[in-house]
Amino acid sequence: MKINELPEKYNKLWRKCQPVLKQGRHGDIDHAKEVTVLVLNYQGKLAIDKDVLVPVAMMHDIGHAAILPEHFFMITGPKKLVNGKLVHMLAGAKIAGDLLQSVSYNKAKAAEIVDIISMHDSDQLKNVDIQEVYNTVNKKFFHDVDSLDRYTKKRLEKARKVWTNKKEIERILKKFLNLFFFDEFRQIAEKRIAEIF
């Protein structure tokens, strides 16, 4: 299934997401499309709820639309990256909640969607026990599917060209491999690394 073949129950929400995503970072809308398609087409063994995970995929980075260029001057210091992650997750949860309410999405599912968006990048924060934070199959699944973006052919080829120290890039990529919860997604990432490096 492709993004333009979304069932109507998701398409109504996707139509509302697109203008907001376009206000965010360059590439956010393409990333949302890619992750949404991965979730839609998942046929593995994990018992996931697509009625939760498809909207999460659409909106997980929507909070970047709330961070204006002038806000970056306020997100400063050694925790700039961490604070930026926190802001986009919390702003994204609020925006997602409003969008879900505007399309009368199931309230219980909407609560879980907002929860996942509010914490989806927590593995990139320091002193976070990821086993404690990613405490459901849906949270772990989404983490892994979202993380596959680091291992797209386009991103790996760019990394290979930018980084002259091949050992350093391999070290970083392998570090991220250790963060996958499920072997099936780790194996996809490993295969993609082997194809490019």
Side-chain angles (χ1 to χ4, degrees):
M1 184 175 294
K2 298 177 184 175
I3 197 76
N4 61 351
E5 300 169 343
L6 283 170
E8 185 54 30
K9 65 180 174 178
Y10 305 134
N11 200 30
K12 188 165 46 165
L13 181 61
W14 178 241
R15 285 193 300 269
K16 290 192 172 249
C17 292
Q18 289 178 77
V20 185
L21 284 164
K22 287 177 183 175
Q23 294 170 23
R25 300 173 306 174
H26 174 74
D28 278 347
I29 196 163
D30 291 333
H31 175 59
K33 288 176 185 177
E34 289 165 8
V35 178
T36 300
V37 168
L38 283 171
V39 173
L40 279 167
N41 292 322
Y42 179 73
Q43 307 239 336
K45 295 178 182 174
L46 296 171
I48 61 165
D49 186 342
K50 289 186 182 181
D51 286 346
V52 168
L53 292 167
V54 169
V56 169
M58 292 175 181
M59 298 186 289
H60 68 285
D61 282 338
I62 208 163
H64 287 293
I67 306 174
L68 302 175
E70 57 266 29
H71 295 151
F72 283 109
F73 296 111
M74 294 180 246
I75 304 173
T76 60
K79 293 189 174 185
K80 183 173 183 160
L81 179 65
V82 170
N83 291 339
K85 290 287 179 194
L86 288 170
V87 170
H88 104 278
M89 288 188 290
L90 297 175
K94 169 67 172 114
I95 294 167
D98 292 345
L99 290 173
L100 290 161
Q101 188 174 3
S102 77
V103 298
S104 303
Y105 209 80
N106 175 285
K107 287 184 181 182
K109 305 243 185 223
E112 186 176 356
I113 293 162
V114 168
D115 179 41
I116 294 172
I117 291 170
S118 76
M119 54 65 62
H120 74 276
D121 274 344
S122 293
D123 67 321
Q124 297 176 40
L125 307 177
K126 289 186 178 180
N127 301 318
V128 171
D129 179 347
I130 65 169
Q131 296 299 329
E132 184 179 316
V133 174
Y134 295 89
N135 55 7
T136 68
V137 171
N138 281 342
K139 286 178 180 178
K140 291 175 182 175
F141 174 90
F142 186 75
H143 168 274
D144 284 8
V145 171
D146 187 29
S147 295
L148 282 176
D149 181 61
R150 292 184 186 111
Y151 302 93
T152 62
K153 182 178 181 183
K154 182 179 175 182
R155 286 199 56 184
L156 289 172
E157 285 179 346
K158 183 178 179 181
R160 189 179 65 184
K161 289 176 185 173
V162 172
W163 288 73
T164 54
N165 185 337
K166 187 177 177 186
K167 293 225 182 268
E168 180 65 10
I169 188 69
E170 287 181 85
R171 183 190 68 75
I172 291 168
L173 289 172
K174 286 182 180 174
K175 178 182 115 179
F176 285 125
L177 284 175
N178 293 331
L179 294 176
F180 280 96
F181 289 101
F182 300 111
D183 287 339
E184 65 182 285
F185 299 113
R186 183 180 302 107
Q187 289 165 2
I188 292 169
E190 287 170 338
K191 181 180 177 196
R192 290 177 179 175
I193 291 170
E195 289 170 355
I196 301 298
F197 286 93

